[in-house]
Amino acid sequence: GENVEQHPSTLSVQEGDSAVIKCTYSDSASNYFPWYKQELGKGPQLIIDIRSNVGEKKDQRIAVTLNKTAKHFSLHITETQPEDSAVYFCAASRRTGNQFYFGTGTSLTVIP
Amino acid sequence: DAGVIQSPRHEVTEMGQEVTLRCKPISGHDYLFWYRQTMMRGLELLIYFNNNVPIDDSGMPEDRFSAKMPNASFSTLKIQPSEPRDSAVYFCASRYSGGNYEQYFGPGTRLTVT
């Protein structure tokens, strides 16, 4: 099966700085890579996703890059704000979009 | 839309008792997923349904766990008998096959088995 590794497990940045979270996956058949944000006491919420036919996708301050050859993808958050503080999960999935394999999460703290 | 609804939000029970977790998916969604989240194992898919039919239950840890979806707007996850190692946050998620692959998660049920 798929194995998704995520680093770092914790990340602290100053407000306004950038944050980068990296994930690797093992199954070359995976072609859908979502990123979820989980705030305390809430369920994960999709913030951005990318499919294997593109290398980069951006949505305002958030961007995701994908390198299929190396089997890794990254989340980039620019101009971080305190409300970005949360746990972020990457995931990988085959085309069905049903069996998501999640990374172990990154706890991001943005220091005001 | 109210989103995915789960109940109860918190459940504390004693070892050996039966526990039933409930989920109402987003109206119109035809896939429903049950996940378990622990510090040790992260987010794990337990089982998922398509049009109320269980498709893959390979993540269900043991026979003590069972899930049902009697209709499109309701699903249950039952643990009988419960054990302390079942303590976790259980999430329900749903998605619509005609949309993108996004799964919409509920707020979760925090289960503590003493």
Side-chain angles (χ1 to χ4, degrees):
Chain A
E2 175 66 277
N3 180 42
V4 177
E5 295 189 357
Q6 182 173 347
H7 300 281
S9 58
T10 61
L11 179 61
S12 291
V13 299
Q14 292 289 333
E15 182 177 358
D17 288 350
S18 295
V20 180
I21 303 170
K22 299 181 179 181
C23 289
T24 61
Y25 62 99
S26 60
D27 186 354
S28 58
S30 291
N31 58 5
Y32 175 67
F33 307 93
W35 285 89
Y36 280 80
K37 175 183 181 182
Q38 186 176 20
E39 297 177 336
L40 197 62
K42 297 183 178 180
Q45 183 177 14
L46 180 73
I47 54 171
I48 195 167
D49 57 11
I50 191 168
R51 303 194 185 202
S52 60
N53 57 344
V54 298
E56 183 174 0
K57 183 177 179 181
K58 189 173 183 179
D59 183 3
Q60 299 182 341
R61 297 186 297 108
I62 296 174
V64 58
T65 59
L66 171 65
N67 183 327
K68 282 221 75 179
T69 303
K71 296 197 187 70
H72 67 71
F73 55 112
S74 301
L75 177 71
H76 304 254
I77 306 174
T78 59
E79 300 172 23
T80 53
Q81 301 168 3
E83 51 264 39
D84 294 330
S85 296
V87 179
Y88 292 80
F89 292 93
C90 63
S93 173
R94 292 189 174 191
R95 191 179 310 162
T96 64
N98 292 324
Q99 179 66 57
F100 282 11
Y101 295 90
F102 283 91
T104 48
T106 296
S107 179
L108 173 65
T109 302
V110 179
I111 304 167
Chain B
D1 197 321
V4 176
I5 299 172
Q6 292 187 247
S7 64
R9 293 295 311 277
H10 302 273
E11 177 79 39
V12 180
T13 191
E14 293 184 347
M15 182 174 62
Q17 296 298 306
E18 177 180 297
V19 175
T20 299
L21 311 181
R22 297 172 176 79
C23 175
K24 175 179 169 56
I26 294 173
S27 177
H29 283 193
D30 51 353
Y31 281 88
L32 183 139
F33 307 83
W34 282 101
Y35 287 89
R36 178 172 67 176
Q37 185 176 43
T38 62
M39 288 296 294
M40 290 295 294
R41 301 175 67 91
L43 264 168
E44 303 174 277
L45 177 65
L46 301 178
I47 184 172
Y48 75 90
F49 296 81
N50 178 219
N51 291 323
N52 314 336
V53 176
I55 303 300
D56 186 348
D57 66 355
S58 59
M60 296 286 261
E62 303 170 30
D63 291 345
R64 298 184 296 106
F65 286 69
S66 62
K68 294 181 179 180
M69 192 165 185
N71 58 63
S73 58
F74 184 66
S75 178
T76 60
L77 178 67
K78 185 177 294 186
I79 308 173
Q80 165 63 19
S82 58
E83 296 183 3
R85 59 194 169 118
D86 300 331
S87 298
V89 180
Y90 291 81
F91 289 102
C92 176
S94 69
R95 80 172 183 91
Y96 171 54
S97 61
N100 59 18
Y101 293 154
E102 179 176 0
Q103 294 184 15
Y104 294 78
F105 283 76
T109 295
R110 180 173 293 278
L111 173 64
T112 302
V113 183
T114 60

